[in-house]
Amino acid sequence: MAWRIVHIKEGDILRLRLDNIEIIKMENKLHIPLSDISMIVLEGNRTTVTTKLLSSLSQHNIGLVICDDKYLPVGMYLPYGQYHHNAKRVINQGNWTDNQKAEIWKRVIRQKMDNQISFARYAGVEQERLELMEDLVSNLTVGDKTNREGHVAKVYFDSLYGKSFTRDEDCLTNAAMNFGYAIIRSCMARVVVGSGLITMLGIFHRNEFNSYNLADDLMEPYRPLMDFWINKYVLGDKDYLSYESRQSILSFMHEKITIDDKKMTIDNSMQEFVSSFISSMDNDDPDSILKIELNNFIGEES
């Protein structure tokens, strides 16, 4: 099973060498088996990638993420049509009803909000604000028509970073979250595509200009896990997102979490989560979706 996320800061040429990726930088060559790789993250402006390698990345269901000059992921190259029953799965996806989507979204977004509360409690947020978030979650409706998610997020970020904090602010916290969320999104998109689903057809996100609506839906429970990781390992003395910090964020995907009494990496848990999501939708059983719980991540990580 693929387990590596390869982070290439600067490379001259990336090409296929037998069943390996060959990374050439000046006089140095490095070979990594494609079967070991789940994703490649590229930084820098001088790297050449061969079309033969891109073809093999698709065949091995390997995602390729490209970062801008600020080291933030801005593009993805994903496999196309590699799932063995791709057409059947897409037809089923297109037949999911609005009611099914609303019911499963309630479960998905409930996981995110529960994890936000768990992290806020771990971070020492005062009990009054924890209770406010819990009260908001208790009023969650099918499809979250009253936007409990947005209200909880407001209390959550205010409680952690102060009432003056906004997600548009130019600061290390936002830079780290933007990078971390983009990595989660990329990994989730790779799993969604590898499972034969269309990323554009979401259950809640329906932006006509967004090619990754479904990935944005299913990554939601993982966001607070990344918040925990960033808070513990990235935020500190530096006021910028260093190379070491970006490496630490990437390592998050290899950390262990317990799901249904089984230990697995975050990356592998996404595959299990998406599989349970598909099953719950196809069988019209929203309660059967796996639960991604922050406490089961903190317990493994600590």
Side-chain angles (χ1 to χ4, degrees):
M1 181 177 292
W3 56 276
R4 284 185 176 179
I5 296 180
V6 178
H7 186 199
I8 300 174
K9 186 177 181 181
E10 287 284 357
D12 292 330
I13 299 175
L14 304 182
R15 66 185 186 187
L16 183 67
R17 182 72 174 177
L18 298 177
D19 287 328
N20 301 274
I21 179 175
E22 183 176 62
I23 305 168
I24 303 173
K25 186 174 182 181
M26 299 181 69
E27 300 300 321
N28 299 314
K29 294 182 179 180
L30 175 67
H31 298 89
I32 303 174
L34 291 178
S35 58
D36 289 352
I37 302 172
S38 63
M39 180 164 293
I40 300 171
V41 179
L42 292 184
E43 294 180 0
N45 301 313
R46 298 185 298 104
T47 301
T48 299
V49 183
T50 67
T51 54
K52 185 67 173 178
L53 175 60
L54 291 175
S55 175
S56 291
L57 294 184
S58 292
Q59 293 168 5
H60 286 80
N61 192 29
I62 298 172
L64 178 66
V65 177
I66 301 172
C67 299
D68 62 13
D69 291 338
K70 295 182 178 179
Y71 310 111
L72 291 177
V74 292
M76 284 187 278
Y77 172 78
L78 295 171
Y80 176 77
Q82 297 300 313
Y83 182 73
H84 59 290
H85 284 160
N86 194 254
K88 179 181 179 180
R89 181 142 289 173
V90 169
I91 291 170
N92 288 342
Q93 182 181 2
N95 289 331
W96 293 341
T97 67
D98 288 342
N99 184 63
Q100 284 179 290
K101 294 176 184 178
E103 288 285 357
I104 199 71
W105 176 246
K106 178 182 177 182
R107 275 71 171 180
V108 170
I109 208 60
R110 173 66 184 261
Q111 291 190 33
K112 175 189 179 181
M113 293 188 289
D114 285 345
N115 286 338
Q116 287 177 321
I117 294 171
S118 294
F119 175 50
R121 182 175 290 108
Y122 174 90
V125 169
E126 55 268 29
Q127 185 63 29
E128 180 181 356
R129 299 188 72 79
L130 294 175
E131 291 176 356
L132 174 57
M133 286 189 282
E134 289 171 343
D135 183 61
L136 288 168
V137 173
S138 69
N139 293 318
L140 179 65
T141 59
V142 172
D144 191 21
K145 295 179 180 179
T146 57
N147 192 27
R148 298 298 91 182
E149 176 201 4
H151 294 301
V152 169
K154 173 63 175 173
V155 179
Y156 173 75
F157 284 115
D158 285 354
S159 301
L160 290 171
Y161 307 115
K163 292 185 178 180
S164 63
F165 175 82
T166 68
R167 284 288 286 123
D168 296 326
E169 184 179 346
D170 185 9
C171 61
L172 173 60
T173 299
N174 276 327
M177 284 193 290
N178 290 341
F179 185 84
Y181 294 165
I183 293 301
I184 294 175
R185 187 190 199 213
S186 301
C187 290
M188 183 60 76
R190 181 188 69 85
V191 173
V192 167
V193 170
S195 300
L197 297 172
I198 296 179
T199 57
M200 288 78 78
L201 298 180
I203 55 173
F204 176 78
H205 291 86
R206 300 179 183 181
N207 190 325
E208 64 180 299
F209 303 108
N210 182 7
S211 296
Y212 302 101
N213 285 314
L214 185 56
D216 288 340
D217 289 328
L218 299 182
M219 67 177 278
E220 294 288 6
Y222 289 91
R223 287 179 181 267
L225 277 64
M226 178 59 78
D227 295 343
F228 163 80
W229 187 258
I230 288 171
N231 184 74
K232 188 168 185 178
Y233 294 105
V234 176
L235 302 184
D237 297 333
K238 296 180 180 179
D239 59 359
Y240 65 97
L241 190 63
S242 66
Y243 175 71
E244 292 75 19
S245 295
R246 299 195 300 278
Q247 285 286 88
S248 178
I249 290 173
L250 288 173
S251 70
F252 164 83
M253 299 304 304
H254 298 145
E255 293 301 310
K256 296 292 181 65
I257 186 172
T258 299
I259 299 178
D260 280 354
D261 297 323
K262 296 185 294 184
K263 294 182 181 180
M264 63 189 73
T265 64
I266 293 291
D267 193 17
N268 289 338
S269 78
M270 288 184 175
Q271 183 64 65
E272 297 290 326
F273 183 65
V274 172
S275 294
S276 74
F277 163 76
I278 294 171
S279 177
S280 65
M281 291 297 287
D282 287 346
N283 297 319
D284 199 12
D285 182 16
D287 289 327
S288 66
I289 191 170
L290 286 179
K291 293 182 179 178
I292 307 300
E293 299 180 274
L294 175 67
N295 291 333
N296 287 339
F297 176 59
I298 293 176
E300 291 298 332
E301 191 278 327
S302 57

